[in-house]
Amino acid sequence: MAQLLDGAGKLGWVLLKSVIRFVFMFFNNCVAIPSYCLYLVLLQPLRIWDSSTFWYIEGVMFKWLLAMVSSWGWIAGYTVTEWGDDVRPISEEEAMVIVNHQSTGDVCTLMMCLQDKGMVVQKMMWLMDHVFKYTNFGLVSLIHGDFFIRQGKAHRDKQLIYLKDHLEKYYHSRDRKWIVLFPEGGFLRKRRETSQLFAKKRSLPHLTHVTLPRIGATHVILKTLSAQQENGSVGSDTGTPNQTGNKRKGLQWVIDVTIAYPKARPMDIQTWIFGYRPPTVTHVHYRMYPIKEVPVEAEALTDWLYQRFVEKEELLTHFYSTGSFPSEDGHKEAASRQMTLDPVWLCIIQSFAFASGYMWYSVLWYLYCCLF
C-alpha cells in the first residue's frame, strides 16, 4: 500500500510539473513569436534602407527564440556533452552541417549545443521537413529563410530545383554562414528497414543506428555554395559578394555531427515540452572536414557521404556499448566537454520576451480602442 501511494505521489508530481511546463511554454510562445514578428514589421523601413543591419537584428532575435527553446530542456535537466573536434574556432566561417536524425528532439539538441558557438545560430539556415512549416515555429523559420523540403520520389526533383533557387535568393543576401541538414531524409525508426533493404540489394554496409543518406540536397548545396575546381573537388571562393560588397569565401568546412542518446532512447519534442523524462545528458560528436577534401561529382560524393554514415554507425556502436565515443588517434581516452548555458542570460531573454509581449498587447489594444 505504501509503495502504491508513493508511486501515485510521484505520478501526480510528474503530471503537475508537465501541466505547469506546458502552460509556461504556451504563454512563452504566445508572447515571443508575435513579438518577433511585430518587431520585424516595425523594422521594415530599415530593411529597405540597410538590409544587412535588418537581417543582423533579425538573426539576434532568432537566436533568442532558439535560446528559449533550449531553456525548456535546460530547466528540466536535459543537457549536452560534446565530443570530438572543437567547432568554435570556425564559427565565423561558412560550413555545411550534416546530422544523423533520430527524432524531433534532434533539432532541440542542436538549438541548445550551438548557442555558445558565437554568431552561428543567428546566421544559420535550416533544411527541415515541410511538416515543421505548420508548427508553432513555422512562421519564424519562414521569415528567417529556412527551407522546408518535401520527401518522396514524387517531389524529389522539383524540391532540389526549389532548394537551389532558395539558396541563390536567400543564403548570401541574408549573410548566412552555416547550413544544417539531415541527409537521411527522415527519422531512423521510419527509414531503417527501407534503408537496410536498399543496402542489401546494392551490397552496401548494413547499418543499424543510422540509415544510408540521400545525396540530393547535399549535392545541390555543395554545387551552389562552393566553387568547383577542375579536379572535381570544391574550392574556397565562390566569387559572390555579401551584403557589404566583400567577396565571400564560400563553404570552407563540412561538419559531421553525430547525436547519441543514452540507451539509444531518443528525446522528442514532447519530452522537451512536458519534461517527464528524468534529467538526461545527450552526447554530440563533431568531426570537421575541409571543403577541399569533399568531392562534388555525384558518384564520388555519394561514396564519400556513405563513408561518413558508416563512421557514424561505428561511433554510435561504440557509444552504446561503452557510454562514450572512441578516442581520436594518438589519445588514450576521448575528451568530452560539458556544454553550458548561462541561466542569467536565459532569464534576461525570457524577461524581455514577456515584457515585449505585454508592450505589444498594450499597443494593439490602444489602437483597437482608438479605431473602434
Side-chain angles (χ1 to χ4, degrees):
M1 187 64 179
Q3 291 182 344
L4 182 61
L5 291 173
D6 184 58
K10 290 180 179 179
L11 178 60
W13 167 242
V14 170
L15 291 175
L16 177 61
K17 183 174 66 173
S18 297
V19 171
I20 293 173
R21 286 177 59 87
F22 177 80
V23 170
F24 171 77
M25 291 170 199
F26 175 80
F27 284 106
N28 202 182
N29 277 290
C30 286
V31 298
I33 295 177
S35 295
Y36 165 87
C37 297
L38 289 168
Y39 277 126
L40 294 182
V41 170
L42 185 66
L43 291 172
Q44 285 305 303
L46 178 63
R47 182 179 180 180
I48 298 172
W49 180 55
D50 186 354
S51 63
S52 62
T53 302
F54 173 86
W55 289 113
Y56 175 84
I57 295 172
E58 183 278 333
V60 171
M61 291 193 293
F62 183 79
K63 180 178 180 178
W64 291 352
L65 287 176
L66 267 59
M68 292 178 199
V69 177
S70 303
S71 71
W72 301 347
W74 187 261
I75 60 178
Y78 305 147
T79 58
V80 172
T81 294
E82 299 177 314
W83 305 73
D85 296 333
D86 185 359
V87 300
R88 286 173 294 185
I90 64 166
S91 62
E92 292 297 320
E93 300 181 40
E94 293 187 36
M96 177 176 68
V97 183
I98 56 175
V99 191
N100 62 312
H101 207 11
Q102 301 182 59
S103 71
T104 50
D106 298 339
V107 175
C108 300
T109 297
L110 288 174
M111 288 179 179
M112 176 183 287
C113 65
L114 295 178
Q115 283 292 326
D116 67 344
K117 307 298 186 295
M119 299 174 66
V120 163
V121 175
Q122 65 194 69
K123 294 191 175 185
M124 175 184 292
M125 178 180 287
W126 297 75
L127 266 66
M128 296 179 284
D129 190 278
H130 79 286
V131 174
F132 282 97
K133 184 190 298 185
Y134 308 104
T135 65
N136 61 316
F137 216 73
L139 179 60
V140 173
S141 292
L142 279 172
I143 295 172
H144 184 68
D146 297 329
F147 184 77
F148 298 93
I149 191 166
R150 284 182 174 271
Q151 306 294 341
K153 293 181 180 179
H155 307 285
R156 190 170 299 162
D157 293 338
K158 285 186 177 180
Q159 289 297 300
L160 295 180
I161 295 172
Y162 295 154
L163 173 59
K164 183 176 185 298
D165 292 342
H166 185 88
L167 293 173
E168 291 175 343
K169 186 176 181 181
Y170 297 116
Y171 187 83
H172 296 303
S173 66
R174 298 186 181 183
D175 196 25
R176 300 298 176 237
K177 294 291 187 181
W178 286 21
I179 183 165
V180 180
L181 71 157
F182 301 91
E184 292 165 290
F187 298 143
L188 173 63
R189 68 179 186 277
K190 294 183 176 180
R191 290 208 62 241
R192 178 159 39 201
E193 185 177 350
T194 303
S195 175
Q196 290 174 346
L197 289 173
F198 178 83
K200 186 176 181 180
K201 291 179 181 178
R202 302 294 182 90
S203 299
L204 295 169
H206 180 87
L207 305 176
T208 302
H209 304 303
V210 294
T211 63
L212 289 171
R214 292 168 176 169
I215 194 69
T218 306
H219 193 209
V220 168
I221 291 169
L222 287 173
K223 291 191 70 175
T224 305
L225 302 182
S226 302
Q228 188 171 353
Q229 305 298 313
E230 294 180 359
N231 61 2
S233 64
V234 290
S236 59
D237 195 341
T238 63
T240 305
N242 59 14
Q243 295 169 329
T244 61
N246 297 322
K247 203 172 184 180
R248 297 178 68 107
K249 294 182 179 180
L251 290 178
Q252 299 292 298
W253 302 90
V254 172
I255 303 175
D256 185 5
V257 177
T258 303
I259 299 176
Y261 298 95
K263 300 180 181 179
R265 292 180 56 212
M267 303 272 284
D268 53 29
I269 188 64
Q270 295 93 322
T271 306
W272 276 68
I273 292 173
F274 295 106
Y276 49 77
R277 184 182 293 190
T280 303
V281 179
T282 301
H283 298 259
V284 179
H285 184 278
Y286 304 96
R287 185 169 284 166
M288 302 188 305
Y289 297 91
I291 200 68
K292 292 182 179 180
E293 296 180 6
V294 183
V296 75
E297 190 273 324
E299 185 175 349
L301 179 60
T302 300
D303 293 338
W304 186 89
L305 197 58
Y306 280 179
Q307 184 57 40
R308 301 290 75 76
F309 275 77
V310 170
E311 291 174 359
K312 285 179 180 292
E313 176 76 12
E314 295 170 352
L315 286 172
L316 290 169
T317 299
H318 188 280
F319 178 84
Y320 292 138
S321 61
T322 65
S324 65
F325 285 110
S327 60
E328 302 296 324
D329 295 338
H331 296 82
K332 293 183 179 180
E333 294 184 0
S336 62
R337 306 173 295 277
Q338 184 71 31
M339 186 269 161
T340 59
L341 292 174
D342 185 353
V344 175
W345 178 61
L346 293 178
C347 288
I348 292 172
I349 291 174
Q350 291 285 10
S351 299
F352 178 76
F354 281 98
S356 296
Y358 177 76
M359 180 196 73
W360 284 113
Y361 172 80
S362 300
V363 169
L364 294 175
W365 180 251
Y366 174 78
L367 291 176
Y368 175 82
C369 291
C370 290
L371 293 173
F372 302 101

